[in-house]
């Protein structure tokens, strides 16, 4: 499967020909300060792209350029290109947002907040150009674009070229003076510009009257003047031609293109018309479509002669026709040939052989060859699923007629999977029924290209029924269908058995049956490993270790993470394993190790993390901060975690808000904690379930802090019974600690210690502070033969952070100033540029200057790397 | 506002060659004596109408009017009635 990211769309088109100087426009475009949006809005052929590419090439700063297409109406595609362009322009700026985006779960505002956070401290100016915005504009991308424009930091300017005004708050931007508008009336060539173009650049030597006539007839429309210039080249009778043109009412492009085509050699004319069916042109593709050779040379000739070609790279490899001319050429072609099916079929075949399924399918559909398109899609299904490109698959469902899909069970099941992975469940049940009916019917009506997949369908169908039941909140039916899927999975179909086992595991987990859940995930991880889905193995490992921790099996959880790390280096999910190890280290009260693991996770960068890692990392950091006694820092991390929170299929058994309520209790902010209880509708008399156990434990802590001991004890007793019955020993250990404190009774503590000792728990005891310390002390005195209580007491006395860390300032050639260190510390937090400026009571420009010096001294180019480097050099320890 | 198919008449500045009829999904393209062009025919729904308007935009042709008309095509296809 070809990568869906097309390089040519990020290519800044260079103006290879000399341009008409346009001082009057340059003057208006020069301003950068205070301008959020430069809008170039005019019909086709007014030189919008040329103007913007000349502008951003000339002025200092970095450029992120995206040439948009129809397919960019889909939000994920659009934002992927936009963030990738930013990442290319300023490395480090887009990658965090891209990671979140790929999860498919984060709201676009969260994705953009991460990117804006980076952009806002960038020392350089950035031009973000969205060319042909009208192709992408629509309800899918509008909310994110409005958010982006509203929050754009001053060093970034958005430049949009479009044929229709974008659905952005233009009136507001205009009123605030933050908008520069260039419209058709501004872009038209004036008489002077037309003269410069026709005579100076094209060398036509026309007199003023002829130029005035041309300018009048074309109304300064640049595309028309360009065609006129082509028609006039080598003509002796320029004046007669111009008069004929001026006296004609026909659509100027029609008239002139007829002239231009008439003047081309037959082979050139044929080449132009036939290849106009392709969105992009390259030599071999043109050869395939025209059935002749010499395509590459022809393209280069056309480019030299300025015949409508737009280069898409710097290597003279890929081109496209200027959109307007492409449309006109295709209309001429259709008039001459009628049926264009054969040309599209040839293009489809060429793309198929080149392995570019997306383009091959597009041309097959254009050829009216729905069956062949369906063949291509069916064969691409496994690769699309493996590469998580289900949204691409999902879009084809709209293009391939239903009756073609219905007789193809393999394809139909592929589409069912695509729909469900895009969270579209409506009508899926009906589709599954349909496929089963077709499969039960006579075999000779079935169309199947991918024979190997046919045998897998019964298992796959039950897997999707299980997933549908889970989405519908029916764990019992999920488990039932998953069991059937495993029974029906053919030998060697590890994907089906893995998916079904994971679904059963998930349903059991949500139902609180941790042992069955553990068994399901263990099988899923084994089968996923067999088929090389390593990122998913790591995902399962997180769940397995979570379950093991809840069961009070810390050592097993440690092994689970370590084994997962042995699967390979730098894999997606590796960072999550380190975050998990950090949490386990914290339970053992090894704060240095916990901190080191988090740093390693961060050093690996966003590519090594699963979509949930950004929030899990911050929650782990919050708990570390809390252990270090930095409660404000812990709250900050939890707030940040909430901003980057991304859910997955798994139940959210430890909500961030509950963590925060616990920190509030530690801070003594009991009324705030009580607000949380109210918002969640929690009460000590609730029925108990595993899914809300963490929240009820938090409630018990709040009750204790409120000195409602009787109520707290009753709740804890019920929680203990439920946790014990569910085999959740990890929870029981914590409950017993709280009961010991609530009842001022050492007996529950002794039981807790007995359960905890083999697994090496420390934090859960010593986190409770002086009351627990004195209980442990009396216990140690009473039972001198028992070393565990004494070890815990030692841990209380030991300073959390050992020897003073060496400072790394001396390794810098040029040390950071105190002020730069202040800025650096703030860069390590979550504030954006303007907020940092406010905090330090300086201007944003000052912050940017500091940032620039910091980056230079640390030898980095972006915020994330600066913070990482600062950690390595221990510059952030206060 | 109707969501069903309806007949529309779209008038443009300039004369468009009849070859463009296929571009507009089979609508009729007629040149009028006054140098304008009328595109008319049945469009499936509002979305289809906007599709036609977008194609006109992409050609850079100035739009003069868009009107919903009676369903009788014969009445509107003679150039004489258009000017």
């Amino acid at each position: 499967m070809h990568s869906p990211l097309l390089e040519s769309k990020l290519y800044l088109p260079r103006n290879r020909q000399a341009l008409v100087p346009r001082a009057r426009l340059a003057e208006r475009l020069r301003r950068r300060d205070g301008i959020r949006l430069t809008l170039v809005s005019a019909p086709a052929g007014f030189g919008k792209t040329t103007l913007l590419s000349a502008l951003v090439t000339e002025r200092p700063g970095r450029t992120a350029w995206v040439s948009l297409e129809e397919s960019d109406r889909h939000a994920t595609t659009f934002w992927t290109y936009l963030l990738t362009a930013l990442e290319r322009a300023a490395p480090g700026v887009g990658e965090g947002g891209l990671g979140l985006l790929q999860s498919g779960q984060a709201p676009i505002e969260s994705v953009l907040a991460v990117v804006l956070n980076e952009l806002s401290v960038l020392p350089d100016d950035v031009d973000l150009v969205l060319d042909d915005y009208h192709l992408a504009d629509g309800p899918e991308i509008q909310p994110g674009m409005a958010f982006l424009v509203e929050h754009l930091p001053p060093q970034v300017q958005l430049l949009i070229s479009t044929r229709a005004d974008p659905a952005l708050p233009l009136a507001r931007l205009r009123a605030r003076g933050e908008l520069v508008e260039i419209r058709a009336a501004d872009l038209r060539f004036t008489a002077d510009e037309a003269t410069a173009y026709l005579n100076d650049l094209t060398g036509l030597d026309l007199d003023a009257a002829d130029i005035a006539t041309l300018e009048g007839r074309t109304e300064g429309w640049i595309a028309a003047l360009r065609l006129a210039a082509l028609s006039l080249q080598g003509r002796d009778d320029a004046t007669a031609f111009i008069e004929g043109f001026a006296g004609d009412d026909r659509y100027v492009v029609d008239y002139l293109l007829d002239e231009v085509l008439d003047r081309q050699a037959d082979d050139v004319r044929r080449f132009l018309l036939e290849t106009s069916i392709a969105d992009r042109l390259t030599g071999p593709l043109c050869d395939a479509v025209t059935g002749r050779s010499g395509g590459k040379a022809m393209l280069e000739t056309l480019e030299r002669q300025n015949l409508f070609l737009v280069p898409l790279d710097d290597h003279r490899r890929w081109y496209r026709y200027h959109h307007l001319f492409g449309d006109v050429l295709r209309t001429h072609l259709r008039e001459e040939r009628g049926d264009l099916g054969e040309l599209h079929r040839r293009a489809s075949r060429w793309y198929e052989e080149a392995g570019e399924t997306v383009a091959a399918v597009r041309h097959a559909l254009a050829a009216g060859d729905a069956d062949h398109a369906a063949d291509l899609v069916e064969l691409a299904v496994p690769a699309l699923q493996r590469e998580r490109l289900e949204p691409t698959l999902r879009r084809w469902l709209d293009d391939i007629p239903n009756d073609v899909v219905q007789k193809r069970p393999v394809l139909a099941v592929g589409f069912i999977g695509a729909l469900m992975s895009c969270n579209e469940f409506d009508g899926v049940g009906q589709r599954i029924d349909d496929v089963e009916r077709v499969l039960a019917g006579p075999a000779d009506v079935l169309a199947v290209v991918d024979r190997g997949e046919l045998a897998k369908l019964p298992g796959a169908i039950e897997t999707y029924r299980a997933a549908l039941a889970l989405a519908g909140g029916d764990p019992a039916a999920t488990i039932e269908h998953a069991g059937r899927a495993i029974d029906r999975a053919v030998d060697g179909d590890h994907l089906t058995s893995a998916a079904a086992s994971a679904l059963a595991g998930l349903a059991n987990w949500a139902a609180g049956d941790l042992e069955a859940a553990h068994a399901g995930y263990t099988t899923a991880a084994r089968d996923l490993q067999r088929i090389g889905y390593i990122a998913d193995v790591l995902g399962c490992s997180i769940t397995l270790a979570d379950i093991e921790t809840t069961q009070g099996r810390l050592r097993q959880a440690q092994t689970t993470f370590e084994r997962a790390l042995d699967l390979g280096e730098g894999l997606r999910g590796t960072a999550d394993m380190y975050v998990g190890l950090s949490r386990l280290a914290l339970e053992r009260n090894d704060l240095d190790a916990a901190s080191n693991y988090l740093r390693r996770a961060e050093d690996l960068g966003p590519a090594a993390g699963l979509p949930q890692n950004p929030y899990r990392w911050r929650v782990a950091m919050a708990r570390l901060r809390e252990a270090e006694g930095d409660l404000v820092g812990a709250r900050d991390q939890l707030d940040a975690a909430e901003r980057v929170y991304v859910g997955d299929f798994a139940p959210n058994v430890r909500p961030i808000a509950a963590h925060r309520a616990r920190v509030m209790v530690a801070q003594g902010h009991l009324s705030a904690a009580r607000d949380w209880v109210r918002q969640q509708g929690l009460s000590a008399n609730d029925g108990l379930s595993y899914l809300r156990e963490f929240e009820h434990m938090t409630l018990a802590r709040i009750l204790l802090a409120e000195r409602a001991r009787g109520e707290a004890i009753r709740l804890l007793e019920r929680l203990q019974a439920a946790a014990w019955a569910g085999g959740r020993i990890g929870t029981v250990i914590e409950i017993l600690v709280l009961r010991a404190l609530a009842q001022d009774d050492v007996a529950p503590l002794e039981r807790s210690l007995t359960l905890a000792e083999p697994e090496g728990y420390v934090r859960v005891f010593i986190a409770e502070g002086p009351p627990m310390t004195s209980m442990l002390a009396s216990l140690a005195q009473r039972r001198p033969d028992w070393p565990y209580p004494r070890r815990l007491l030692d841990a209380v006395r030991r300073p959390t952070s050992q020897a003073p860390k060496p400072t790394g300032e001396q390794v810098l050639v040029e040390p950071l100033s105190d002020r730069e260190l202040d800025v650096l510390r703030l860069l390590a937090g979550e504030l954006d540029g303007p907020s940092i400026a406010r905090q330090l009571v300086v201007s944003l420009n000052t912050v940017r200057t500091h940032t620039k010096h910091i980056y230079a001294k640390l030898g980095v180019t972006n915020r994330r790397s600066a913070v990482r480097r600062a950690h390595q050099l221990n510059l952030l320890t206060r | 506002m109707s969501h069903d198919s309806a007949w529309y008449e779209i008038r443009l500045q300039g004369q468009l060659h009849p070859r463009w009829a296929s571009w507009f999904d089979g609508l009729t393209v007629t040149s009028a004596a006054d140098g304008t062009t009328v595109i008319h025919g049945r469009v499936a729904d509002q979305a289809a109408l906007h599709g036609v308007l977008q194609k006109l935009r992409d050609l850079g042709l100035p739009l003069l009017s868009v009107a919903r008309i009676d369903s009788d095509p014969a009445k509107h296809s003679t150039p004489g009635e258009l000017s």
Side-chain angles (χ1 to χ4, degrees):
Chain A
M1 186 92 255
H2 189 264
S3 155
L5 197 72
L6 287 166
E7 287 299 320
S8 58
K9 289 170 66 169
L10 303 175
Y11 172 75
L12 163 61
R14 318 262 168 206
N15 296 310
R16 290 186 191 156
Q17 266 90 21
L19 298 180
V20 174
R22 312 199 78 182
R24 63 193 173 90
L25 297 179
E27 183 63 32
R28 290 172 57 191
L29 288 168
R30 190 170 303 135
R31 270 190 64 201
R32 196 193 269 279
D33 276 358
I35 303 298
R36 272 176 207 272
L37 173 64
T38 293
L39 177 66
V40 183
S41 186
F46 271 91
K48 301 184 288 297
T49 306
T50 308
L51 183 74
L52 286 182
S53 88
L55 172 70
V56 299
T57 311
E58 266 166 36
R59 71 182 184 188
R62 299 160 186 256
T63 301
W65 182 287
V66 188
S67 300
L68 293 163
E69 296 182 349
E70 286 278 0
S71 52
D72 299 321
R73 282 182 182 279
H74 300 282
T76 312
T77 317
F78 175 82
W79 294 111
T80 302
Y81 277 109
L82 192 146
L83 298 191
T84 307
L86 281 172
E87 173 68 25
R88 300 267 174 95
V93 159
E95 58 175 1
L98 276 169
L100 265 183
L101 184 67
Q102 276 152 14
S103 75
Q105 308 279 337
I108 189 61
E109 287 80 3
S110 308
V111 173
L112 292 175
V114 172
V115 177
L116 289 164
N117 203 21
E118 281 285 354
L119 282 173
S120 70
V121 294
L122 206 66
D124 302 329
D125 290 325
V126 179
D127 288 323
L128 171 57
V129 187
L130 301 178
D131 196 25
D132 283 328
Y133 187 76
H134 58 278
L135 293 175
D137 198 8
E140 277 208 40
I141 68 160
Q142 276 159 12
M145 280 302 292
F147 180 87
L148 179 68
V149 170
E150 195 52 41
H151 294 89
L152 220 47
Q155 59 268 57
V156 186
Q157 192 176 107
L158 180 64
L159 301 102
I160 285 179
S161 91
T162 180
R163 293 182 189 175
D165 280 5
L168 290 170
L170 297 182
R172 198 188 324 153
L173 293 169
R174 213 176 272 131
R176 295 195 299 218
E178 295 171 341
L179 176 69
V180 168
E181 270 177 290
I182 306 282
R183 310 194 66 91
D186 309 308
L187 288 163
R188 292 182 200 291
F189 272 168
T190 60
D192 284 347
E193 286 167 336
T195 309
Y197 175 64
L198 295 167
N199 285 355
D200 302 348
L201 296 183
T202 320
L204 284 172
D205 197 21
L206 302 176
D207 64 31
D210 281 348
I211 288 175
T213 310
L214 271 180
E215 214 250 329
R217 172 69 170 100
T218 59
E219 299 180 69
W221 189 13
I222 298 173
L225 283 167
R226 204 171 137 191
L227 276 169
L230 281 168
S231 316
L232 283 163
Q233 250 150 19
R235 240 184 232 279
D236 303 329
D237 55 344
T239 304
F241 172 81
I242 290 168
E243 276 168 8
F245 174 44
D248 194 287
D249 272 343
R250 267 183 285 165
Y251 173 42
V252 288
V253 176
D254 256 348
Y255 183 95
L256 293 170
L257 196 86
D258 280 343
E259 290 291 332
V260 173
L261 285 178
D262 281 350
R263 293 165 60 78
Q264 302 304 321
D266 271 355
D267 62 327
V268 177
R269 186 172 190 284
R270 216 175 117 186
F271 182 91
L272 284 169
L273 291 174
E274 290 183 343
T275 55
S276 71
I277 62 143
D279 293 343
R280 291 188 184 73
L281 307 167
T282 190
L285 170 62
C286 293
D287 292 347
V289 169
T290 59
R292 276 162 298 159
S293 58
K296 183 172 161 51
M298 180 69 89
L299 287 171
E300 283 169 18
T301 311
L302 294 180
E303 190 197 355
R304 260 198 315 279
Q305 295 180 352
N306 208 0
L307 269 166
F308 329 127
L309 271 194
V310 180
L312 295 177
D313 55 37
D314 282 328
H315 318 293
R316 303 203 142 75
R317 202 169 293 148
W318 283 92
Y319 300 87
R320 68 169 168 81
Y321 287 116
H322 188 285
H323 293 308
L324 177 64
F325 299 130
D327 287 347
V328 180
L329 285 172
R330 270 190 295 281
T331 304
H332 276 255
L333 176 68
R334 208 173 293 120
E335 185 193 27
E336 283 184 19
R337 301 281 173 89
D339 179 23
L340 308 185
E342 181 52 28
L343 295 173
H344 280 296
R345 248 186 302 280
R346 290 178 191 165
S348 176
R349 245 185 330 261
W350 185 84
Y351 274 120
E352 187 181 342
E353 274 162 31
E356 293 198 36
T357 307
V358 176
V361 171
R362 191 174 59 240
H363 282 291
L365 288 168
D369 222 344
D371 274 295
H372 187 59
D375 286 351
L376 292 169
V377 174
E378 186 171 321
L379 289 169
V381 168
L384 288 166
Q385 285 174 340
R386 196 166 43 243
E387 290 172 37
R388 295 287 146 83
L389 293 173
E390 281 99 346
T392 304
L393 186 56
R394 162 68 190 85
R395 263 170 250 153
W396 281 325
L397 182 58
D398 298 330
D399 299 329
I400 300 177
N402 215 15
D403 56 315
V404 175
V405 178
Q406 272 192 341
K407 61 181 189 211
R408 295 169 175 269
V410 175
L411 180 63
V413 170
F415 279 138
I416 287 165
L419 282 167
M420 293 182 69
S421 83
C422 296
N423 290 319
E424 291 180 50
F425 299 106
D426 287 350
V428 166
Q430 182 62 48
R431 282 177 185 277
I432 297 178
D433 292 345
D434 289 347
V435 176
E436 282 192 320
R437 194 160 354 92
V438 171
L439 281 174
D444 55 336
V445 301
L446 297 186
V448 179
V449 223
D450 198 345
R451 287 268 150 208
E453 289 295 307
L454 185 63
K456 297 181 185 169
L457 292 187
I461 286 171
E462 285 297 335
T463 307
Y464 289 128
R465 284 207 188 280
L468 199 58
L470 189 73
D474 186 349
T478 309
I479 293 164
E480 190 190 321
H481 284 297
R484 246 182 263 160
I486 294 166
D487 290 344
R488 293 184 189 176
V490 291
D491 273 354
D493 183 6
H494 299 304
L495 184 58
T496 294
S497 65
S501 304
L503 283 164
L506 204 49
N508 278 309
W509 192 14
D513 186 345
L514 295 191
E515 254 179 67
H518 195 272
Y521 276 101
T522 305
T523 309
R526 184 200 63 203
D527 288 344
L528 287 166
Q529 197 176 334
R530 282 180 177 157
I531 50 177
Y533 282 43
I534 301 301
D536 298 280
V537 177
L538 298 188
C540 284
S541 301
I542 294 176
T543 309
L544 283 169
D546 252 5
I547 293 172
E548 286 153 3
T549 305
T550 307
Q551 291 175 323
R553 297 156 66 199
L554 294 189
R555 292 181 198 283
Q556 180 58 43
Q558 180 88 14
T559 308
T560 300
F561 285 131
E562 284 167 357
R563 280 208 193 125
L565 282 173
D566 286 343
L567 291 174
E569 273 175 36
L571 299 167
R572 193 161 161 80
T574 306
D576 306 68
M577 301 301 107
Y578 284 119
V579 172
L581 285 171
S582 165
R583 283 178 37 206
L584 295 175
L586 192 66
E587 290 292 355
R588 295 191 305 268
N589 202 43
D590 187 347
L591 303 196
D592 286 339
S595 166
N596 283 333
Y597 282 130
L598 287 184
R599 200 174 300 166
R600 275 167 89 170
E602 192 178 28
D603 284 350
L604 290 169
L610 295 170
Q612 290 75 26
N613 194 49
Y615 98 80
R616 287 200 193 113
W617 188 91
R618 285 169 175 81
V619 171
M621 185 51 107
R623 301 198 49 201
L624 178 60
R625 290 270 175 267
E626 192 183 357
E628 291 167 347
D630 176 7
L631 298 179
V632 175
R635 284 278 292 270
D636 286 348
Q637 289 294 337
L638 290 173
D639 291 344
E642 213 151 48
R643 280 197 293 275
V644 294
Y645 176 76
V646 175
D648 54 15
F649 294 113
N652 184 12
V653 289
R654 288 188 195 82
I656 296 169
H659 279 293
R660 188 166 40 215
R662 289 179 177 214
V663 180
M664 288 167 179
V665 172
Q667 287 177 306
H669 297 167
L670 295 186
S671 69
R674 196 24 87 174
D675 287 343
W676 169 80
V677 175
R678 254 192 303 278
Q679 280 156 20
Q680 303 305 312
L682 286 172
S683 128
N685 303 316
D686 289 339
L688 301 179
S689 79
Y690 164 58
L691 292 184
R692 301 203 80 181
E693 186 171 76
F694 187 76
E695 290 175 290
H696 282 122
M697 290 290 291
T698 308
L699 173 59
R701 288 178 172 277
I702 294 169
L703 289 168
L704 271 179
E706 291 171 339
R707 301 185 192 282
R709 296 171 108 193
E711 212 178 337
I713 291 168
R714 277 193 302 280
L715 176 58
L716 286 167
E717 282 169 351
R718 290 170 56 223
L719 281 166
Q720 187 181 334
W724 190 259
R728 299 190 290 275
I729 305 304
T731 313
V732 173
I733 290 170
E734 187 186 346
I735 293 171
L736 288 168
V737 167
L738 295 183
R739 281 190 60 186
L741 292 169
Q743 297 161 226
D744 196 17
D745 180 2
V746 81
L749 178 60
E750 283 189 74
R751 255 181 295 148
S752 184
L753 289 167
T754 311
L755 292 169
E757 185 174 13
E759 299 291 333
Y761 281 90
V762 178
R763 190 78 220 151
V764 67
F765 300 102
I766 69 170
E768 300 303 331
M772 178 53 62
T773 315
S774 60
M775 278 180 116
L776 285 168
S778 67
L779 187 62
Q781 221 163 29
R782 189 159 58 77
R783 295 187 51 180
D785 55 315
W786 200 8
Y788 190 33
R790 273 206 313 282
R791 267 216 324 273
L792 295 177
L793 286 169
D794 287 347
V796 176
R797 282 186 217 109
R798 202 186 316 132
T800 48
S801 200
Q802 281 94 357
K805 290 170 184 163
T807 70
E809 294 263 359
Q810 54 272 35
V811 305
L812 289 178
V813 178
E814 210 186 333
L816 298 177
S817 70
D818 286 348
R819 200 53 167 166
E820 285 161 3
L821 280 169
D822 290 342
V823 173
L824 184 58
R825 285 192 194 102
L826 291 168
L827 287 174
E830 299 287 329
L831 296 179
D832 65 5
S835 312
I836 291 175
R838 270 195 298 281
Q839 181 111 2
L840 297 173
V841 205
V842 296
S843 74
L844 180 63
N845 268 336
T846 308
V847 171
R848 287 173 63 192
T849 309
H850 285 311
T851 311
K852 187 174 189 160
H853 294 154
I854 294 168
Y855 288 3
K857 289 178 183 179
L858 295 178
V860 298
T861 55
N862 62 69
R863 182 173 187 168
R864 233 181 59 81
S865 317
V867 173
R868 190 191 309 168
R869 186 95 183 99
H871 276 304
Q872 283 162 357
L873 298 174
N874 278 321
L875 297 177
L876 294 176
T877 41
R878 284 169 225 219
Chain B
M1 161 81 56
S2 162
H3 294 287
D4 299 330
S5 74
W7 291 81
Y8 275 90
E9 184 182 275
I10 302 164
R11 193 179 288 262
L12 310 170
Q13 180 74 55
Q15 292 200 337
L16 203 57
H17 193 281
R19 68 164 74 98
W20 288 93
S22 64
W23 172 262
F24 295 110
D25 279 336
L27 300 181
T28 315
V29 175
T30 320
S31 294
D34 61 355
T36 63
T37 297
V38 168
I39 296 177
H40 86 264
R42 196 188 187 96
V43 294
D45 54 16
Q46 289 295 303
L49 175 65
H50 282 283
V52 172
L53 296 177
Q54 199 169 309
K55 284 178 174 173
L56 288 174
R57 176 198 75 193
D58 289 345
L59 292 179
L61 282 166
L63 193 58
L64 297 176
S65 68
V66 180
R68 197 164 150 183
I69 55 171
D70 292 338
S71 58
D72 179 9
K75 212 177 130 193
H76 295 273
S77 57
T78 51
E81 285 216 17
L82 295 172
S83 40

